[in-house]
């Protein structure tokens, strides 16, 4: 794999397997308002565009449902409490981040998960291995807009006008489009929430099956 100065990672489905906790919080919110729950595989298909759209996809009628706001608020509260119950880094992720850090690389995480949860999860699982963690908040457009990536660069103290090279790593079509909109090359991981065939259909060109394959070989 090519050598880069900055590695920008998606979070859910790329660094952390968060699907069980997302599923549990979605279903807890649905049960709270008396709506049918979903399977883990169904929730897998809902994630990737932020938690509001996750709940819009999970609730019949989406945001037009009269109980949507109640369910969404309950989901946010439940997930902030239970978002680490079953979540774990994917095998090999910690070794990858540690090696990148040893090689002097800058590491950023950008996620459509809400800001506080993104920072909390990164602090809990990765500590000082991640230099910057940016999530969804007011005034910053969600991925696939480039705003979160640009904010990560700002917090890193660099700009794309600098001579530093950067790469974006993710597991979804949203990540492919985010990389494109940010004018970055994209590495698509195959252990996340989307299949190789799905990613190919959405323009993926570079794949890795294990985290350590991201390490530079040049």
């Amino acid at each position: 794999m090519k050598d880069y100065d900055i590695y920008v990672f998606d979070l859910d489905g790329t660094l952390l397997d968060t699907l069980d906790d997302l599923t549990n919080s979605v279903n807890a919110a649905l049960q709270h308002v008396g709506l049918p729950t979903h399977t883990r595989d169904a929730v897998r298909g809902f994630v990737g565009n932020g938690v509001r759209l996750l709940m819009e996809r999970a609730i019949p009628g989406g945001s037009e449902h009269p109980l949507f706001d109640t369910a969404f608020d309950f989901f946010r509260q439940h997930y902030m409490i239970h978002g680490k119950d079953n979540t774990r880094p994917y095998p090999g992720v910690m070794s990858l981040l540690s090696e990148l850090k040893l090689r002097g690389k800058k590491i950023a995480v950008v996620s459509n998960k809400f800001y506080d949860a993104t920072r909390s999860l990164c602090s809990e699982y990765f500590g000082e291995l991640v230099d910057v963690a940016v999530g969804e908040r007011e005034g910053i457009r969600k991925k696939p807009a480039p705003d979160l990536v640009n904010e990560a660069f700002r917090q890193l103290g660099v700009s794309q006008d600098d001579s530093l090279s950067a790469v974006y790593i993710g597991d979804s079509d949203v990540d492919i489009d985010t990389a494109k909109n940010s004018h970055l090359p994209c590495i698509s991981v195959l252990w996340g929430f989307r299949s190789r065939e799905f990613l190919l259909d959405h323009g993926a060109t570079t794949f890795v099956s294990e985290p350590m394959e991201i390490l530079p070989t040049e």
Side-chain angles (χ1 to χ4, degrees):
M1 198 65 66
K2 184 179 176 181
D3 193 9
Y4 296 95
D5 299 305
I6 304 170
Y7 289 76
V8 183
F9 290 91
D10 170 55
L11 186 59
D12 295 44
T14 301
L15 295 178
L16 292 179
D17 185 354
T18 56
L19 189 55
D20 285 338
D21 288 330
L22 287 169
T23 300
N24 291 343
S25 289
V26 166
N27 285 336
L30 294 173
Q31 289 175 329
H32 179 69
V33 296
L35 293 174
T37 59
H38 294 286
T39 65
R40 186 177 188 271
D41 282 342
V43 174
R44 179 193 299 271
F46 298 158
V47 300
N49 295 87
V51 293
R52 184 176 180 86
L53 189 52
L54 164 63
M55 289 304 295
E56 287 180 5
R57 291 166 172 166
I59 293 176
S63 60
E64 299 301 315
H65 194 286
L67 296 175
F68 175 82
D69 288 339
T70 301
F72 183 51
D73 288 344
F74 188 93
F75 167 85
R76 290 174 63 98
Q77 295 169 17
H78 188 277
Y79 190 72
M80 286 304 299
I81 297 170
H82 297 284
K84 302 173 188 174
D85 288 356
N86 302 286
T87 288
R88 297 291 183 272
Y90 285 101
V93 160
M94 297 304 295
S95 296
L96 168 65
L97 296 180
S98 296
E99 185 60 30
L100 289 174
K101 184 60 65 174
L102 283 174
R103 298 187 188 193
K105 309 304 182 182
K106 295 182 182 296
I107 299 172
V109 171
V110 295
S111 174
N112 277 343
K113 190 187 295 294
F114 37 91
Y115 198 86
D116 288 345
T118 299
R119 291 174 61 86
S120 175
L121 288 168
C122 285
S123 175
E124 172 80 16
Y125 293 104
F126 309 126
E128 295 183 356
L129 292 176
V130 168
D131 298 299
V132 166
V134 181
E136 177 188 358
R137 69 182 184 189
E138 188 174 351
I140 302 180
R141 292 180 298 170
K142 298 193 301 292
K143 300 184 295 183
D147 298 42
L148 290 171
V149 174
N150 292 338
E151 175 64 12
F153 284 150
R154 187 192 69 78
Q155 292 188 25
L156 286 171
V158 301
S159 74
Q160 289 187 314
D161 295 329
D162 295 337
S163 59
L164 298 176
S165 61
V167 65
Y168 186 97
I169 301 108
D171 72 302
S172 73
D173 52 320
V174 174
D175 295 313
I176 295 167
D177 290 340
T178 301
K180 180 179 179 181
N181 292 336
S182 303
H183 306 291
L184 296 177
C186 184
I187 299 172
S188 296
V189 308
L190 295 176
W191 56 80
F193 297 162
R194 301 290 185 265
S195 68
R196 182 187 183 96
E197 292 72 21
F198 179 93
L199 294 171
L200 277 170
D201 287 343
H202 288 82
T205 58
T206 303
F207 298 94
V208 291
S209 299
E210 298 178 2
M212 296 299 278
E213 293 177 8
I214 293 170
L215 285 177
T217 55
E218 296 180 359

